[in-house]
Amino acid sequence: MAYLQTDVTKVTTRVLQNMKLHNEKIAMLTAYDYSMAKLLDNAKIDVVLVGDSAANVMQGYQTTLPITLDQMIFYGASVVRAIKRALVVVDMPFGTYQGNSKQALASAIRIMKETGADAVKLEGGEEVIESISRILTAGIPVMGHLGLTPQSINKFGTYAVRATETEEAERLMKDAHVLAEAGCFAMVLEKIPASLAAQVTREVKIPTIGIGAGSDVDGQVLVLQDMLGITQQFSPRYLRTYGSFGHEISNAIRQYIHDVKSVDFPNEKEQY
Ligand code: KIV
């Protein structure tokens, strides 16, 4: 299959919309730093998400709640400096958009001005629609996020699959339409039944990006450290790993320690 959009010089929200129209899947991964973002961009990833999962994989917190706006801006700016082609989306952290649309707009403007990212992402449906609409009126593209929304972990009490019951599934369906009609350019669907994600994808006109949402969505996203096999003791059913880089890195570090201690490194060619 020919990939229609691989040769674009810059992925935009319009390109993603075209990909949905032409049934070309969207590949999205997270990144939080310059070096990794450069590798992703060189490999022609479509979308780089500076996720608030940075709270987990970069900062070691159990939840995404503690990460701050300043920290997300720091990660976002580092990633943007590496990117030429991919669309860069920065997550709005917990507490910067819920319940106060003026604050939401101010937070989104800071992200856009101080990182140079292309868009922001925030979690929730109807309950955050005022914030989403206000951000959109400033010309800032918004990616939605439904299903398992980790910033609400204290409400859910679990990271288990969402919307398995009819009532929650119907609410999610309604929320998906609300986000699309408000003008979001795409939405993440996290850890929901594949059949529900497929229905959302059929019904809404904007691209859906799944994580634990099956294959009948417009694209997929994974956390980089998870798919590279760096994250320890995390193996949800939806996760496919593309290497054991945790082991590779540990082995390299052990070898380095050995070489230093045995005075094997540096050798004659490695000195001046
Ligand atoms: O923060 C994040 O990395 C995310 C993805 C898991 C979608 O929101």
Side-chain angles (χ1 to χ4, degrees):
M1 176 190 174
Y3 298 119
L4 300 168
Q5 304 297 339
T6 301
D7 290 330
V8 295
T9 49
K10 174 69 191 166
V11 178
T12 61
T13 57
R14 206 189 172 96
V15 167
L16 299 184
Q17 186 64 53
N18 262 335
M19 290 172 83
K20 176 170 177 113
L21 287 176
H22 291 98
N23 279 323
E24 180 178 342
K25 298 287 185 188
I26 298 164
M28 169 161 135
L29 283 170
T30 66
Y32 320 97
D33 70 293
Y34 178 87
S35 305
M36 287 295 175
K38 195 96 211 144
L39 292 175
L40 296 193
D41 203 49
N42 288 344
K44 294 198 170 177
I45 195 80
D46 298 310
V47 185
V48 175
L49 172 65
V50 184
D52 62 354
S53 49
N56 311 119
V57 297
M58 300 299 285
Q59 301 184 343
Y61 287 112
Q62 289 295 315
T63 75
T64 56
L65 274 63
I67 202 163
T68 66
L69 185 58
D70 283 341
Q71 289 165 348
M72 287 305 300
I73 287 171
F74 174 84
Y75 293 125
S78 306
V79 165
V80 167
R81 281 194 286 274
I83 300 288
K84 289 201 167 77
R85 177 183 175 277
L87 183 97
V88 182
V89 182
V90 175
D91 254 340
M92 297 188 66
F94 176 68
T96 64
Y97 61 90
Q98 294 97 337
N100 181 338
S101 63
K102 270 195 186 165
Q103 187 200 8
L105 177 58
S107 309
I109 286 176
R110 272 202 66 199
I111 290 174
M112 299 300 282
K113 263 186 187 293
E114 296 178 40
T115 68
D118 302 302
V120 297
K121 173 166 86 58
L122 55 88
E123 297 180 5
E126 186 92 62
E127 73 280 11
V128 288
I129 204 62
E130 229 182 275
S131 293
I132 290 178
S133 302
R134 202 163 194 142
I135 294 168
L136 287 166
T137 58
I140 300 173
V142 177
M143 177 180 276
H145 185 153
L146 298 174
L148 176 64
T149 46
Q151 291 178 15
S152 304
I153 181 61
N154 293 317
K155 183 171 112 190
F156 298 148
T158 164
Y159 288 105
V161 63
R162 306 298 314 172
T164 52
E165 305 293 332
T166 311
E167 198 186 324
E168 194 182 341
E170 282 174 359
R171 199 164 51 241
L172 187 142
M173 201 65 220
K174 199 164 154 239
D175 278 340
H177 282 286
V178 166
L179 293 184
E181 274 152 33
C184 287
F185 72 92
M187 72 181 81
V188 166
L189 298 174
E190 180 163 355
K191 230 172 169 185
I192 61 171
S195 56
L196 177 61
Q199 194 190 343
V200 172
T201 303
R202 276 194 306 274
E203 288 194 19
V204 300
K205 294 215 158 41
I206 61 172
T208 58
I209 315 282
I211 173 165
S215 61
D216 288 335
V217 285
D218 298 309
Q220 299 290 335
V221 58
L222 288 174
V223 168
L224 187 65
Q225 280 76 353
D226 298 346
M227 61 83 77
L228 291 179
I230 293 173
T231 311
Q232 308 282 303
Q233 290 160 340
F234 183 67
S235 50
R237 188 203 299 199
Y238 69 75
L239 177 62
R240 184 181 293 182
T241 51
Y242 291 82
S244 308
F245 290 91
H247 286 123
E248 294 274 321
I249 293 169
S250 296
N251 287 341
I253 293 166
R254 276 194 207 98
Q255 185 65 47
Y256 168 76
I257 293 169
H258 174 270
D259 290 356
V260 169
K261 293 197 182 280
S262 63
V263 203
D264 179 78
F265 173 77
N267 63 24
E268 277 189 8
K269 285 189 195 144
E270 292 161 332
Q271 61 192 6
Y272 299 99

